[in-house]
PDB file of all heavy atoms in Angstrom:
ATOM      1  N   GLY A   1      -1.418 -23.179 -13.378  1.00 98.00           N
ATOM      2  CA  GLY A   1      -0.367 -22.240 -13.182  1.00 98.00           C
ATOM      3  C   GLY A   1      -0.247 -21.672 -11.847  1.00 98.00           C
ATOM      4  O   GLY A   1      -0.845 -22.194 -10.896  1.00 98.00           O
ATOM      5  N   SER A   2       0.447 -20.538 -11.718  1.00 98.00           N
ATOM      6  CA  SER A   2       0.606 -19.876 -10.428  1.00 98.00           C
ATOM      7  C   SER A   2       0.294 -18.395 -10.566  1.00 98.00           C
ATOM      8  O   SER A   2       0.318 -17.803 -11.665  1.00 98.00           O
ATOM      9  CB  SER A   2       2.125 -20.007 -10.012  1.00 98.00           C
ATOM     10  OG  SER A   2       3.044 -19.322 -10.925  1.00 98.00           O
ATOM     11  N   VAL A   3      -0.158 -17.804  -9.469  1.00 98.00           N
ATOM     12  CA  VAL A   3      -0.463 -16.416  -9.396  1.00 98.00           C
ATOM     13  C   VAL A   3       0.220 -15.799  -8.164  1.00 98.00           C
ATOM     14  O   VAL A   3       0.194 -16.387  -7.042  1.00 98.00           O
ATOM     15  CB  VAL A   3      -2.045 -16.259  -9.235  1.00 98.00           C
ATOM     16  CG1 VAL A   3      -2.615 -16.967  -8.037  1.00 98.00           C
ATOM     17  CG2 VAL A   3      -2.398 -14.894  -9.336  1.00 98.00           C
ATOM     18  N   LYS A   4       0.860 -14.617  -8.392  1.00 96.00           N
ATOM     19  CA  LYS A   4       1.509 -13.934  -7.286  1.00 96.00           C
ATOM     20  C   LYS A   4       0.443 -13.017  -6.667  1.00 96.00           C
ATOM     21  O   LYS A   4      -0.122 -12.171  -7.358  1.00 96.00           O
ATOM     22  CB  LYS A   4       2.688 -13.123  -7.909  1.00 96.00           C
ATOM     23  CG  LYS A   4       3.417 -12.341  -6.760  1.00 96.00           C
ATOM     24  CD  LYS A   4       4.327 -13.196  -5.886  1.00 96.00           C
ATOM     25  CE  LYS A   4       5.089 -12.447  -4.948  1.00 96.00           C
ATOM     26  NZ  LYS A   4       5.843 -13.229  -3.990  1.00 96.00           N
ATOM     27  N   ILE A   5       0.342 -13.091  -5.298  1.00 96.00           N
ATOM     28  CA  ILE A   5      -0.644 -12.329  -4.545  1.00 96.00           C
ATOM     29  C   ILE A   5      -0.062 -10.979  -4.218  1.00 96.00           C
ATOM     30  O   ILE A   5       1.116 -10.905  -3.814  1.00 96.00           O
ATOM     31  CB  ILE A   5      -1.073 -13.056  -3.340  1.00 96.00           C
ATOM     32  CG1 ILE A   5      -1.712 -14.438  -3.718  1.00 96.00           C
ATOM     33  CG2 ILE A   5      -2.041 -12.331  -2.524  1.00 96.00           C
ATOM     34  CD1 ILE A   5      -2.867 -14.354  -4.775  1.00 96.00           C
ATOM     35  N   GLN A   6      -0.905  -9.904  -4.321  1.00 94.00           N
ATOM     36  CA  GLN A   6      -0.459  -8.551  -4.088  1.00 94.00           C
ATOM     37  C   GLN A   6      -0.445  -8.264  -2.589  1.00 94.00           C
ATOM     38  O   GLN A   6      -0.993  -9.104  -1.807  1.00 94.00           O
ATOM     39  CB  GLN A   6      -1.426  -7.541  -4.723  1.00 94.00           C
ATOM     40  CG  GLN A   6      -2.788  -7.699  -4.131  1.00 94.00           C
ATOM     41  CD  GLN A   6      -3.878  -6.897  -5.012  1.00 94.00           C
ATOM     42  OE1 GLN A   6      -3.686  -6.598  -6.214  1.00 94.00           O
ATOM     43  NE2 GLN A   6      -5.011  -6.693  -4.308  1.00 94.00           N
ATOM     44  N   SER A   7       0.142  -7.189  -2.183  1.00 96.00           N
ATOM     45  CA  SER A   7       0.060  -6.654  -0.824  1.00 96.00           C
ATOM     46  C   SER A   7      -1.377  -6.395  -0.471  1.00 96.00           C
ATOM     47  O   SER A   7      -2.193  -6.035  -1.322  1.00 96.00           O
ATOM     48  CB  SER A   7       0.888  -5.460  -0.548  1.00 96.00           C
ATOM     49  OG  SER A   7       2.318  -5.792  -0.586  1.00 96.00           O
ATOM     50  N   ALA A   8      -1.778  -6.596   0.769  1.00 97.00           N
ATOM     51  CA  ALA A   8      -3.151  -6.531   1.199  1.00 97.00           C
ATOM     52  C   ALA A   8      -3.668  -5.165   1.104  1.00 97.00           C
ATOM     53  O   ALA A   8      -3.196  -4.128   1.701  1.00 97.00           O
ATOM     54  CB  ALA A   8      -3.273  -7.010   2.656  1.00 97.00           C
ATOM     55  N   LYS A   9      -4.778  -5.013   0.390  1.00 95.00           N
ATOM     56  CA  LYS A   9      -5.453  -3.667   0.267  1.00 95.00           C
ATOM     57  C   LYS A   9      -5.777  -3.139   1.648  1.00 95.00           C
ATOM     58  O   LYS A   9      -5.617  -1.957   1.901  1.00 95.00           O
ATOM     59  CB  LYS A   9      -6.734  -3.934  -0.500  1.00 95.00           C
ATOM     60  CG  LYS A   9      -7.856  -2.806  -0.424  1.00 95.00           C
ATOM     61  CD  LYS A   9      -9.105  -3.339  -1.161  1.00 95.00           C
ATOM     62  CE  LYS A   9     -10.198  -2.316  -1.020  1.00 95.00           C
ATOM     63  NZ  LYS A   9     -10.871  -2.366   0.306  1.00 95.00           N
ATOM     64  N   ASN A  10      -6.234  -4.056   2.486  1.00 94.00           N
ATOM     65  CA  ASN A  10      -6.631  -3.500   3.819  1.00 94.00           C
ATOM     66  C   ASN A  10      -5.539  -3.310   4.830  1.00 94.00           C
ATOM     67  O   ASN A  10      -5.771  -2.920   5.989  1.00 94.00           O
ATOM     68  CB  ASN A  10      -7.673  -4.580   4.418  1.00 94.00           C
ATOM     69  CG  ASN A  10      -9.003  -4.483   3.701  1.00 94.00           C
ATOM     70  OD1 ASN A  10      -9.350  -3.505   3.152  1.00 94.00           O
ATOM     71  ND2 ASN A  10      -9.644  -5.594   3.644  1.00 94.00           N
ATOM     72  N   SER A  11      -4.319  -3.659   4.407  1.00 97.00           N
ATOM     73  CA  SER A  11      -3.085  -3.164   5.060  1.00 97.00           C
ATOM     74  C   SER A  11      -2.568  -1.868   4.467  1.00 97.00           C
ATOM     75  O   SER A  11      -2.164  -0.957   5.211  1.00 97.00           O
ATOM     76  CB  SER A  11      -1.919  -4.254   5.072  1.00 97.00           C
ATOM     77  OG  SER A  11      -2.211  -5.163   6.077  1.00 97.00           O
ATOM     78  N   VAL A  12      -2.533  -1.866   3.209  1.00 96.00           N
ATOM     79  CA  VAL A  12      -1.905  -0.725   2.448  1.00 96.00           C
ATOM     80  C   VAL A  12      -2.699   0.623   2.817  1.00 96.00           C
ATOM     81  O   VAL A  12      -2.036   1.658   3.080  1.00 96.00           O
ATOM     82  CB  VAL A  12      -1.805  -0.949   1.016  1.00 96.00           C
ATOM     83  CG1 VAL A  12      -1.347   0.293   0.260  1.00 96.00           C
ATOM     84  CG2 VAL A  12      -0.853  -2.150   0.693  1.00 96.00           C
ATOM     85  N   LEU A  13      -3.900   0.539   2.862  1.00 94.00           N
ATOM     86  CA  LEU A  13      -4.732   1.842   2.962  1.00 94.00           C
ATOM     87  C   LEU A  13      -4.473   2.408   4.317  1.00 94.00           C
ATOM     88  O   LEU A  13      -4.261   3.652   4.389  1.00 94.00           O
ATOM     89  CB  LEU A  13      -6.160   1.469   2.735  1.00 94.00           C
ATOM     90  CG  LEU A  13      -6.602   1.150   1.243  1.00 94.00           C
ATOM     91  CD1 LEU A  13      -8.045   0.761   1.241  1.00 94.00           C
ATOM     92  CD2 LEU A  13      -6.265   2.296   0.374  1.00 94.00           C
ATOM     93  N   PRO A  14      -4.629   1.732   5.478  1.00 94.00           N
ATOM     94  CA  PRO A  14      -4.222   2.409   6.661  1.00 94.00           C
ATOM     95  C   PRO A  14      -2.720   2.741   6.917  1.00 94.00           C
ATOM     96  O   PRO A  14      -2.439   3.767   7.581  1.00 94.00           O
ATOM     97  CB  PRO A  14      -4.700   1.370   7.821  1.00 94.00           C
ATOM     98  CG  PRO A  14      -4.787   0.097   7.088  1.00 94.00           C
ATOM     99  CD  PRO A  14      -5.174   0.397   5.745  1.00 94.00           C
ATOM    100  N   ILE A  15      -1.834   1.988   6.218  1.00 96.00           N
ATOM    101  CA  ILE A  15      -0.445   2.345   6.256  1.00 96.00           C
ATOM    102  C   ILE A  15      -0.287   3.719   5.560  1.00 96.00           C
ATOM    103  O   ILE A  15       0.539   4.592   5.969  1.00 96.00           O
ATOM    104  CB  ILE A  15       0.445   1.243   5.720  1.00 96.00           C
ATOM    105  CG1 ILE A  15       0.496   0.084   6.733  1.00 96.00           C
ATOM    106  CG2 ILE A  15       1.850   1.735   5.403  1.00 96.00           C
ATOM    107  CD1 ILE A  15       1.123  -1.251   6.095  1.00 96.00           C
ATOM    108  N   LEU A  16      -0.912   3.879   4.325  1.00 95.00           N
ATOM    109  CA  LEU A  16      -0.911   5.160   3.661  1.00 95.00           C
ATOM    110  C   LEU A  16      -1.362   6.196   4.557  1.00 95.00           C
ATOM    111  O   LEU A  16      -0.846   7.360   4.630  1.00 95.00           O
ATOM    112  CB  LEU A  16      -1.673   5.037   2.368  1.00 95.00           C
ATOM    113  CG  LEU A  16      -0.982   4.285   1.247  1.00 95.00           C
ATOM    114  CD1 LEU A  16      -1.932   4.080   0.088  1.00 95.00           C
ATOM    115  CD2 LEU A  16       0.227   5.037   0.729  1.00 95.00           C
ATOM    116  N   ALA A  17      -2.487   5.988   5.298  1.00 94.00           N
ATOM    117  CA  ALA A  17      -3.055   6.980   6.178  1.00 94.00           C
ATOM    118  C   ALA A  17      -1.997   7.369   7.286  1.00 94.00           C
ATOM    119  O   ALA A  17      -1.829   8.467   7.638  1.00 94.00           O
ATOM    120  CB  ALA A  17      -4.313   6.539   6.741  1.00 94.00           C
ATOM    121  N   ALA A  18      -1.268   6.328   7.731  1.00 96.00           N
ATOM    122  CA  ALA A  18      -0.322   6.539   8.841  1.00 96.00           C
ATOM    123  C   ALA A  18       0.909   7.388   8.360  1.00 96.00           C
ATOM    124  O   ALA A  18       1.545   8.000   9.186  1.00 96.00           O
ATOM    125  CB  ALA A  18       0.199   5.164   9.325  1.00 96.00           C
ATOM    126  N   ALA A  19       1.059   7.486   7.029  1.00 96.00           N
ATOM    127  CA  ALA A  19       2.278   8.258   6.584  1.00 96.00           C
ATOM    128  C   ALA A  19       2.116   9.738   6.914  1.00 96.00           C
ATOM    129  O   ALA A  19       3.104  10.479   7.072  1.00 96.00           O
ATOM    130  CB  ALA A  19       2.284   8.095   4.959  1.00 96.00           C
ATOM    131  N   VAL A  20       0.900  10.167   7.246  1.00 95.00           N
ATOM    132  CA  VAL A  20       0.638  11.614   7.578  1.00 95.00           C
ATOM    133  C   VAL A  20       1.268  11.879   8.937  1.00 95.00           C
ATOM    134  O   VAL A  20       1.584  13.119   9.235  1.00 95.00           O
ATOM    135  CB  VAL A  20      -0.890  11.828   7.527  1.00 95.00           C
ATOM    136  CG1 VAL A  20      -1.221  13.309   8.069  1.00 95.00           C
ATOM    137  CG2 VAL A  20      -1.472  11.629   6.173  1.00 95.00           C
ATOM    138  N   LEU A  21       1.487  10.853   9.716  1.00 96.00           N
ATOM    139  CA  LEU A  21       1.955  11.126  11.030  1.00 96.00           C
ATOM    140  C   LEU A  21       3.422  11.498  11.166  1.00 96.00           C
ATOM    141  O   LEU A  21       3.864  12.022  12.179  1.00 96.00           O
ATOM    142  CB  LEU A  21       1.809   9.755  11.877  1.00 96.00           C
ATOM    143  CG  LEU A  21       0.357   9.314  12.187  1.00 96.00           C
ATOM    144  CD1 LEU A  21       0.385   7.809  12.663  1.00 96.00           C
ATOM    145  CD2 LEU A  21      -0.274  10.148  13.133  1.00 96.00           C
ATOM    146  N   THR A  22       4.179  11.227  10.135  1.00 96.00           N
ATOM    147  CA  THR A  22       5.573  11.523  10.176  1.00 96.00           C
ATOM    148  C   THR A  22       6.109  12.425   9.062  1.00 96.00           C
ATOM    149  O   THR A  22       5.499  12.508   7.977  1.00 96.00           O
ATOM    150  CB  THR A  22       6.343  10.184  10.055  1.00 96.00           C
ATOM    151  OG1 THR A  22       7.776  10.383  10.127  1.00 96.00           O
ATOM    152  CG2 THR A  22       6.014   9.354   8.860  1.00 96.00           C
ATOM    153  N   ASP A  23       7.194  13.087   9.336  1.00 93.00           N
ATOM    154  CA  ASP A  23       7.855  13.882   8.261  1.00 93.00           C
ATOM    155  C   ASP A  23       8.951  13.047   7.580  1.00 93.00           C
ATOM    156  O   ASP A  23       9.533  13.457   6.567  1.00 93.00           O
ATOM    157  CB  ASP A  23       8.569  15.134   8.869  1.00 93.00           C
ATOM    158  CG  ASP A  23       7.528  16.203   9.262  1.00 93.00           C
ATOM    159  OD1 ASP A  23       6.405  16.217   8.691  1.00 93.00           O
ATOM    160  OD2 ASP A  23       7.891  17.041  10.139  1.00 93.00           O
ATOM    161  N   GLY A  24       9.166  11.796   8.063  1.00 94.00           N
ATOM    162  CA  GLY A  24      10.117  10.894   7.373  1.00 94.00           C
ATOM    163  C   GLY A  24       9.498  10.370   6.082  1.00 94.00           C
ATOM    164  O   GLY A  24       8.273  10.162   5.955  1.00 94.00           O
ATOM    165  N   LYS A  25      10.357   9.920   5.192  1.00 96.00           N
ATOM    166  CA  LYS A  25       9.897   9.272   3.939  1.00 96.00           C
ATOM    167  C   LYS A  25       9.505   7.914   4.163  1.00 96.00           C
ATOM    168  O   LYS A  25      10.259   7.139   4.860  1.00 96.00           O
ATOM    169  CB  LYS A  25      10.938   9.480   2.893  1.00 96.00           C
ATOM    170  CG  LYS A  25      11.063  10.852   2.367  1.00 96.00           C
ATOM    171  CD  LYS A  25      12.099  10.896   1.121  1.00 96.00           C
ATOM    172  CE  LYS A  25      12.202  12.297   0.594  1.00 96.00           C
ATOM    173  NZ  LYS A  25      13.250  12.296  -0.541  1.00 96.00           N
ATOM    174  N   ILE A  26       8.356   7.517   3.606  1.00 97.00           N
ATOM    175  CA  ILE A  26       7.837   6.120   3.753  1.00 97.00           C
ATOM    176  C   ILE A  26       7.909   5.420   2.384  1.00 97.00           C
ATOM    177  O   ILE A  26       7.344   6.050   1.352  1.00 97.00           O
ATOM    178  CB  ILE A  26       6.434   6.106   4.230  1.00 97.00           C
ATOM    179  CG1 ILE A  26       6.292   6.892   5.610  1.00 97.00           C
ATOM    180  CG2 ILE A  26       5.877   4.690   4.393  1.00 97.00           C
ATOM    181  CD1 ILE A  26       7.107   6.311   6.752  1.00 97.00           C
ATOM    182  N   LYS A  27       8.483   4.309   2.286  1.00 97.00           N
ATOM    183  CA  LYS A  27       8.500   3.529   1.004  1.00 97.00           C
ATOM    184  C   LYS A  27       7.682   2.249   1.278  1.00 97.00           C
ATOM    185  O   LYS A  27       8.027   1.383   2.070  1.00 97.00           O
ATOM    186  CB  LYS A  27       9.938   3.220   0.512  1.00 97.00           C
ATOM    187  CG  LYS A  27       9.862   2.502  -0.844  1.00 97.00           C
ATOM    188  CD  LYS A  27      11.266   2.356  -1.443  1.00 97.00           C
ATOM    189  CE  LYS A  27      11.350   1.627  -2.753  1.00 97.00           C
ATOM    190  NZ  LYS A  27      12.686   1.474  -3.238  1.00 97.00           N
ATOM    191  N   ILE A  28       6.628   2.119   0.527  1.00 97.00           N
ATOM    192  CA  ILE A  28       5.719   0.892   0.672  1.00 97.00           C
ATOM    193  C   ILE A  28       5.901   0.086  -0.544  1.00 97.00           C
ATOM    194  O   ILE A  28       5.820   0.548  -1.644  1.00 97.00           O
ATOM    195  CB  ILE A  28       4.265   1.310   0.937  1.00 97.00           C
ATOM    196  CG1 ILE A  28       4.093   2.348   2.020  1.00 97.00           C
ATOM    197  CG2 ILE A  28       3.463   0.066   1.077  1.00 97.00           C
ATOM    198  CD1 ILE A  28       2.778   2.849   2.033  1.00 97.00           C
ATOM    199  N   LEU A  29       6.255  -1.246  -0.291  1.00 95.00           N
ATOM    200  CA  LEU A  29       6.581  -2.094  -1.431  1.00 95.00           C
ATOM    201  C   LEU A  29       5.419  -2.909  -1.891  1.00 95.00           C
ATOM    202  O   LEU A  29       4.443  -3.220  -1.067  1.00 95.00           O
ATOM    203  CB  LEU A  29       7.692  -3.056  -0.897  1.00 95.00           C
ATOM    204  CG  LEU A  29       8.958  -2.430  -0.377  1.00 95.00           C
ATOM    205  CD1 LEU A  29       9.950  -3.499   0.191  1.00 95.00           C
ATOM    206  CD2 LEU A  29       9.632  -1.545  -1.371  1.00 95.00           C
ATOM    207  N   ASN A  30       5.332  -3.375  -3.103  1.00 93.00           N
ATOM    208  CA  ASN A  30       4.426  -4.248  -3.689  1.00 93.00           C
ATOM    209  C   ASN A  30       2.996  -3.694  -3.519  1.00 93.00           C
ATOM    210  O   ASN A  30       2.106  -4.494  -3.155  1.00 93.00           O
ATOM    211  CB  ASN A  30       4.521  -5.680  -3.119  1.00 93.00           C
ATOM    212  CG  ASN A  30       3.784  -6.682  -3.910  1.00 93.00           C
ATOM    213  OD1 ASN A  30       3.542  -6.592  -5.161  1.00 93.00           O
ATOM    214  ND2 ASN A  30       3.342  -7.764  -3.228  1.00 93.00           N
ATOM    215  N   VAL A  31       2.822  -2.429  -3.778  1.00 94.00           N
ATOM    216  CA  VAL A  31       1.539  -1.765  -3.613  1.00 94.00           C
ATOM    217  C   VAL A  31       0.643  -2.251  -4.745  1.00 94.00           C
ATOM    218  O   VAL A  31       0.920  -2.158  -5.912  1.00 94.00           O
ATOM    219  CB  VAL A  31       1.638  -0.204  -3.647  1.00 94.00           C
ATOM    220  CG1 VAL A  31       0.315   0.395  -3.581  1.00 94.00           C
ATOM    221  CG2 VAL A  31       2.525   0.173  -2.516  1.00 94.00           C
ATOM    222  N   PRO A  32      -0.592  -2.696  -4.429  1.00 93.00           N
ATOM    223  CA  PRO A  32      -1.566  -3.121  -5.475  1.00 93.00           C
ATOM    224  C   PRO A  32      -2.009  -1.995  -6.331  1.00 93.00           C
ATOM    225  O   PRO A  32      -2.256  -0.890  -5.834  1.00 93.00           O
ATOM    226  CB  PRO A  32      -2.724  -3.717  -4.571  1.00 93.00           C
ATOM    227  CG  PRO A  32      -2.641  -3.046  -3.276  1.00 93.00           C
ATOM    228  CD  PRO A  32      -1.190  -2.782  -2.981  1.00 93.00           C
ATOM    229  N   GLN A  33      -2.093  -2.274  -7.550  1.00 92.00           N
ATOM    230  CA  GLN A  33      -2.572  -1.267  -8.525  1.00 92.00           C
ATOM    231  C   GLN A  33      -3.984  -1.195  -8.631  1.00 92.00           C
ATOM    232  O   GLN A  33      -4.644  -1.729  -9.550  1.00 92.00           O
ATOM    233  CB  GLN A  33      -1.942  -1.456  -9.918  1.00 92.00           C
ATOM    234  CG  GLN A  33      -0.326  -1.450  -9.928  1.00 92.00           C
ATOM    235  CD  GLN A  33       0.272  -0.130  -9.435  1.00 92.00           C
ATOM    236  OE1 GLN A  33      -0.080   0.967  -9.939  1.00 92.00           O
ATOM    237  NE2 GLN A  33       1.073  -0.152  -8.389  1.00 92.00           N
ATOM    238  N   ILE A  34      -4.712  -0.726  -7.574  1.00 95.00           N
ATOM    239  CA  ILE A  34      -6.106  -0.713  -7.463  1.00 95.00           C
ATOM    240  C   ILE A  34      -6.712   0.663  -7.361  1.00 95.00           C
ATOM    241  O   ILE A  34      -5.952   1.521  -6.756  1.00 95.00           O
ATOM    242  CB  ILE A  34      -6.628  -1.604  -6.394  1.00 95.00           C
ATOM    243  CG1 ILE A  34      -5.966  -1.227  -5.021  1.00 95.00           C
ATOM    244  CG2 ILE A  34      -6.251  -3.056  -6.735  1.00 95.00           C
ATOM    245  CD1 ILE A  34      -6.507  -2.064  -3.850  1.00 95.00           C
ATOM    246  N   SER A  35      -7.994   0.980  -7.604  1.00 92.00           N
ATOM    247  CA  SER A  35      -8.427   2.289  -7.534  1.00 92.00           C
ATOM    248  C   SER A  35      -8.508   2.874  -6.115  1.00 92.00           C
ATOM    249  O   SER A  35      -8.400   4.039  -5.845  1.00 92.00           O
ATOM    250  CB  SER A  35      -9.865   2.389  -8.175  1.00 92.00           C
ATOM    251  OG  SER A  35     -10.735   1.482  -7.598  1.00 92.00           O
ATOM    252  N   ASP A  36      -8.767   1.914  -5.132  1.00 90.00           N
ATOM    253  CA  ASP A  36      -8.755   2.476  -3.734  1.00 90.00           C
ATOM    254  C   ASP A  36      -7.521   3.016  -3.320  1.00 90.00           C
ATOM    255  O   ASP A  36      -7.458   4.051  -2.605  1.00 90.00           O
ATOM    256  CB  ASP A  36      -9.177   1.321  -2.769  1.00 90.00           C
ATOM    257  CG  ASP A  36     -10.696   1.144  -2.544  1.00 90.00           C
ATOM    258  OD1 ASP A  36     -11.475   1.889  -3.250  1.00 90.00           O
ATOM    259  OD2 ASP A  36     -11.124   0.449  -1.646  1.00 90.00           O
ATOM    260  N   VAL A  37      -6.361   2.345  -3.728  1.00 93.00           N
ATOM    261  CA  VAL A  37      -5.065   2.969  -3.400  1.00 93.00           C
ATOM    262  C   VAL A  37      -4.769   4.175  -4.101  1.00 93.00           C
ATOM    263  O   VAL A  37      -4.351   5.215  -3.485  1.00 93.00           O
ATOM    264  CB  VAL A  37      -4.000   1.809  -3.731  1.00 93.00           C
ATOM    265  CG1 VAL A  37      -2.561   2.583  -3.719  1.00 93.00           C
ATOM    266  CG2 VAL A  37      -4.050   0.797  -2.709  1.00 93.00           C
ATOM    267  N   LYS A  38      -5.127   4.232  -5.368  1.00 91.00           N
ATOM    268  CA  LYS A  38      -4.962   5.501  -6.069  1.00 91.00           C
ATOM    269  C   LYS A  38      -5.777   6.611  -5.508  1.00 91.00           C
ATOM    270  O   LYS A  38      -5.350   7.811  -5.499  1.00 91.00           O
ATOM    271  CB  LYS A  38      -5.369   5.218  -7.572  1.00 91.00           C
ATOM    272  CG  LYS A  38      -4.444   4.292  -8.278  1.00 91.00           C
ATOM    273  CD  LYS A  38      -4.963   3.915  -9.669  1.00 91.00           C
ATOM    274  CE  LYS A  38      -4.042   2.829 -10.309  1.00 91.00           C
ATOM    275  NZ  LYS A  38      -4.574   2.414 -11.662  1.00 91.00           N
TER     276      LYS A  38
END
């Protein structure tokens, strides 16, 4: 069968950290449902 790959954990985490830099709203798509992100 097939498996759909999630967005990269090691990209999402620093991008989430980068959100602190701005007052603008950030929408991140296809975020992995993993405990590190939570």
